[in-house]
Amino acid sequence: MALCFYASSCTKLSSASVNERSAIATDEQAAESEKQKPMDFSSPPVADPDIALPGLPEDLVWFTSRPGAFGSPRAKQGGVLKTYLPYFPQTFRSAGPMSDGPFRSALPDNVACVEINMETKEWMPAAATHWAFGKDKHSVYFLLSEGMLWSDGFPVSAEDYLFMQAMMRSENIRDSRRNDYYGKNKFELKKISDRVIRVWLADLLSPDELLFRASVKPRPAHFFKDGVIPADYVKSHDWKAEPVTGPYFIDRFTRGESLLLRRVRPWWGSVHDYNANRYNVDAVDIRVIAGGMAAAMPYFYKALVDALPLASPAEMAGAPRDVPLTKSYVELHSGAYVPRLGFQGIFLNTEFPLFSSKAVRAGLSYACDIQMMIDSAVPGGYMRYRNTGIGHVFAGVDFDADNLGAPDFDAGKAAAFFEAAGYTNINQNGIRENGRGEALAFELLYGRPGHTEQLTVLRERARLTGVDITLNLMAEGAFTALRDRKYQAYWGSLSTGELPDYDVVRVFSGWSSPSFDSLNARYKAERNIAEKAEISRRLQTMLLDAALVIPGYYSPYSLAASWKWVRYPVWLTLKYQEDFTDPLTGGYFWLDENIRDEVLAALASGKAL
């Protein structure tokens, strides 16, 4: 179970309040009782000998897992959650240009064959109740859930998975990445029966990786005329929301302004116990509020937004002392969780002559005072990041070398490395130079104005060691410069998958070594998960030693402010769950209309809770 705590703005209710049986007091009493019953989030895979399907091309051992109910028994069904997005999604299409935009996760989606348990990282049944591995070590069979329906009521069948394959291969979606991934020589999906499909992948993978990659999502063949992707798909389906197999669908929208997601009731996914008391709200009303947290905060205090994810406690600490906060109509919640991070911090381009020297890169890792930057200019709640990977737990195995530690600021050690690299002279401006008069100077590229103050602290501290850093804010195009290696140093982060990807090292740094490349090839080819994880940890050790990235910081907490009528399980958040207010990726919270009435009555009378 995830460790978590509540940092709540509300004071403890008096005995009089309890005697009055207020809705808040009643729920808090129930929560205290719930705390005495520890949750079991486990879902270990087990072989199911009761599954016998005649007519299959080979004998199979079918696996499943049987997770219990994760949701709170206190949960109530119904209500409309009011939330927001900073931008309207770029398209509703599930493929093609802009379909993987930054707010894709805010749109309803289809359920994969299997899910990953966000507490234990074990497998759970989802669109499929069972899975089995083919003898060829390239195939996975899935037994689809009986009674699975699209959100418009049409039944889901194996034909919808075949249609997904045809759609992903169609040139009409104008998506070369998907065309390539699902190409005939790399991927093949076959219908065995109405409820059984087989997915074949060309890559030789570990069973868990094979299961993860083969866990596909269907597409609704009936939604497209004659089951064909039209030639003008990209244009004609920009704002046509496909039916989905997930718990919510797009009911209506005003482009650029708002979205209304509606709960599918009854939803076929409720057959899985772990979905009990989950996805509780009837609808999600999303409005577009541009301008970041400063713009969203007034909407929150007017109860036009029910819950507000926070980047740090400082965002609420610096908020206006508005009535909802001072009179405890809203609560602050903080849950410890393990984020999944890859490369983050200062990236160094080894094709820039200065950083071709390992000694310079190593010296810079001591000259950059990340901790001072955090302490003086980064909002509270952040911690020093000391590795190139965290949270990469796959099939229950940790792929990160958690015992590694990027060094702290040390002017003496920085000087030793710089002098070993030939930067022994100090000019009249206090900057180190080598014998050719070349200064120890570089440009640090970054893309967010909010980081200027932080990086200014970093620059001034580095100057104490004789390093001259020029800050260059590039609001657009900074990441492209990183990708194309048209930069000297870059402050930012790269997204990461369930497993670390070490091929990206060469992309951003231009660095390679025979020993690293050989080990990385072994990592990609290794089929045993435990061995693969061990190789991953060795690769991370080599990367930290090469000083290609100076790790920055991260937050180990998931934070939010919400009105009191938004209620949460006592465990608040799962170990690897980033946002416990998200109705689509978590959905464990609920709305209590009795508490809403109590809070609004207090608000009208000016009574503090």
Side-chain angles (χ1 to χ4, degrees):
M1 180 173 170
L3 298 175
C4 62
F5 60 91
Y6 284 83
S8 174
S9 64
C10 63
T11 55
K12 190 168 182 66
L13 289 166
S14 67
S15 57
S17 297
V18 174
N19 291 335
E20 292 169 2
R21 306 303 299 165
S22 75
I24 296 172
T26 299
D27 186 72
E28 290 193 350
Q29 281 187 329
E32 287 299 319
S33 176
E34 187 178 314
K35 288 178 183 178
Q36 309 308 314
K37 303 171 184 176
M39 297 292 295
D40 179 7
F41 293 106
S42 64
S43 59
V46 294
D48 189 345
D50 295 331
I51 298 296
L53 301 175
L56 294 179
E58 56 183 316
D59 293 331
L60 299 171
V61 177
W62 290 95
F63 292 89
T64 188
S65 71
R66 300 184 177 92
F70 293 174
S72 169
R74 292 161 42 232
K76 296 181 178 180
Q77 304 291 308
V80 178
L81 176 76
K82 291 174 290 185
T83 185
Y84 83 102
L85 283 174
Y87 304 100
F88 198 79
Q90 295 170 295
T91 182
F92 290 166
R93 282 183 285 98
S94 59
M98 300 182 293
S99 62
D100 294 317
F103 302 110
R104 180 71 211 175
S105 61
L107 298 178
D109 199 2
N110 297 313
V111 177
C113 292
V114 294
E115 295 281 355
I116 295 176
N117 185 322
M118 296 308 290
E119 177 71 22
T120 65
K121 288 299 183 85
E122 297 167 319
W123 299 110
M124 300 192 301
T129 62
H130 294 75
W131 58 93
F133 298 100
K135 298 295 192 298
D136 64 358
K137 300 182 180 179
H138 288 268
S139 302
V140 182
Y141 293 80
F142 293 104
L143 175 59
L144 301 177
S145 293
E146 191 171 13
M148 184 165 40
L149 298 174
W150 292 105
S151 54
D152 59 4
F154 277 77
V156 179
S157 74
E159 295 292 338
D160 290 307
Y161 289 85
L162 287 176
F163 178 74
M164 177 278 298
Q165 178 175 251
M167 180 179 183
M168 295 301 106
R169 289 176 176 177
S170 172
E171 293 183 358
N172 292 341
I173 68 172
R174 289 174 49 193
D175 195 326
S176 59
R177 182 179 64 84
R178 285 186 169 92
N179 291 163
D180 178 68
Y181 183 87
Y182 290 94
K184 291 184 178 180
N185 296 325
K186 298 181 179 181
F187 176 99
E188 194 66 42
L189 190 148
K190 182 178 181 180
K191 172 184 174 181
I192 306 298
S193 68
D194 285 343
R195 287 190 58 206
V196 179
I197 61 173
R198 183 184 70 185
V199 177
W200 175 91
L201 298 174
D203 293 339
L204 188 61
L205 305 166
S206 68
D208 288 288
E209 287 180 275
L210 181 61
L211 180 61
F212 175 67
R213 297 245 316 255
S215 179
V216 293
K217 301 175 181 180
R219 292 295 191 279
H222 71 277
F223 183 69
F224 296 87
K225 184 179 180 181
D226 300 323
V228 175
I229 302 300
D232 65 346
Y233 166 77
V234 170
K235 182 178 180 180
S236 64
H237 283 68
D238 244 347
W239 307 111
K240 289 183 179 179
E242 296 176 15
V244 293
T245 59
Y248 292 93
F249 65 96
I250 296 176
D251 185 46
R252 61 177 185 267
F253 69 96
T254 299
R255 189 174 167 186
E257 296 180 10
S258 63
L259 279 165
L260 184 73
L261 311 184
R262 183 75 63 183
R263 175 68 149 85
V264 180
R265 294 197 187 277
W267 179 49
W268 69 269
S270 298
V271 300
H272 297 304
D273 289 343
Y274 67 84
N275 283 328
N277 297 318
R278 190 180 182 193
Y279 306 122
N280 299 299
V281 298
D282 280 337
V284 182
D285 187 1
I286 306 171
R287 69 169 66 207
V288 174
I289 304 174
M293 184 62 67
M297 195 73 75
Y299 287 86
F300 175 69
Y301 281 125
K302 293 176 183 176
L304 298 175
V305 170
D306 290 321
L308 203 63
L310 303 173
S312 74
E315 286 184 317
M316 189 56 71
R321 304 303 291 177
D322 212 324
V323 167
L325 187 62
T326 58
K327 296 198 173 182
S328 297
Y329 304 147
V330 302
E331 296 176 333
L332 310 183
H333 304 278
S334 174
Y337 90 113
V338 179
R340 192 174 71 219
L341 294 174
F343 301 102
Q344 188 275 338
I346 299 176
F347 296 72
L348 304 178
N349 182 3
T350 63
E351 293 180 352
F352 176 56
L354 178 65
F355 297 140
S356 64
S357 166
K358 179 182 176 181
V360 169
R361 300 195 305 268
L364 197 60
S365 67
Y366 285 99
C368 290
D369 197 343
I370 301 293
Q371 191 60 54
M372 175 66 77
M373 180 179 73
I374 295 171
D375 293 341
S376 59
V378 177
Y382 283 86
M383 295 178 62
R384 176 75 198 277
Y385 187 34
R386 295 187 178 276
N387 193 13
T388 57
I390 186 174
H392 293 106
V393 176
F394 183 73
V397 180
D398 194 339
F399 277 64
D400 298 315
D402 298 325
N403 61 329
L404 296 183
D408 289 315
F409 179 82
D410 190 316
K413 290 182 179 179
F417 277 109
F418 292 149
E419 289 177 2
Y423 290 87
T424 56
N425 304 324
I426 307 293
N427 66 23
Q428 61 183 3
N429 296 318
I431 304 303
R432 288 184 173 273
E433 294 180 344
N434 60 19
R436 296 184 295 275
E438 296 168 336
L440 186 54
F442 64 92
E443 178 186 88
L444 180 58
L445 183 67
Y446 65 108
R448 299 173 111 184
H451 290 159
T452 300
E453 181 184 358
Q454 304 169 18
L455 297 179
T456 298
V457 173
L458 192 78
R459 180 189 66 190
E460 296 308 310
R461 292 289 287 172
R463 194 174 182 86
L464 298 178
T465 69
V467 177
D468 184 17
I469 302 176
T470 299
L471 301 182
N472 180 10
L473 170 63
M474 185 184 291
E476 294 184 6
F479 179 78
T480 300
L482 172 73
R483 183 194 61 197
D484 297 341
R485 290 203 294 275
K486 294 180 179 179
Y487 78 104
Q488 298 174 10
Y490 170 88
W491 169 263
S493 63
L494 294 178
S495 60
T496 185
E498 291 290 333
L499 296 177
D501 178 3
Y502 299 107
D503 287 341
V504 299
V505 172
R506 182 168 292 167
V507 173
F508 73 74
S509 72
W511 175 88
S512 67
S513 77
S515 58
F516 180 87
D517 293 345
S518 175
L519 193 60
N520 187 32
R522 281 184 56 197
Y523 168 76
K524 291 188 289 184
E526 180 57 58
R527 296 185 70 250
N528 180 281
I529 284 292
E531 290 293 329
K532 193 180 188 76
E534 174 57 29
I535 296 172
S536 173
R537 293 189 287 269
R538 289 171 59 189
L539 287 169
Q540 289 182 352
T541 302
M542 294 174 71
L543 287 176
L544 204 62
D545 178 69
L548 302 172
V549 179
I550 302 170
Y553 55 76
Y554 74 100
S555 173
Y557 302 108
S558 185
L559 310 168
S562 59
W563 283 80
K564 260 185 165 62
W565 53 75
V566 183
R567 310 307 287 174
Y568 301 96
V570 293
W571 44 265
L572 186 63
T573 184
L574 296 170
K575 185 175 182 179
Y576 299 99
Q577 179 187 349
E578 180 177 3
D579 181 5
F580 53 83
T581 69
D582 191 319
L584 301 185
T585 60
Y588 293 103
F589 63 87
W590 64 96
L591 304 178
D592 191 312
E593 295 302 324
N594 292 328
I595 292 179
R596 185 196 299 269
D597 291 344
E598 185 176 340
V599 171
L600 293 181
L603 179 63
S605 65
K607 174 185 175 183
L609 296 175

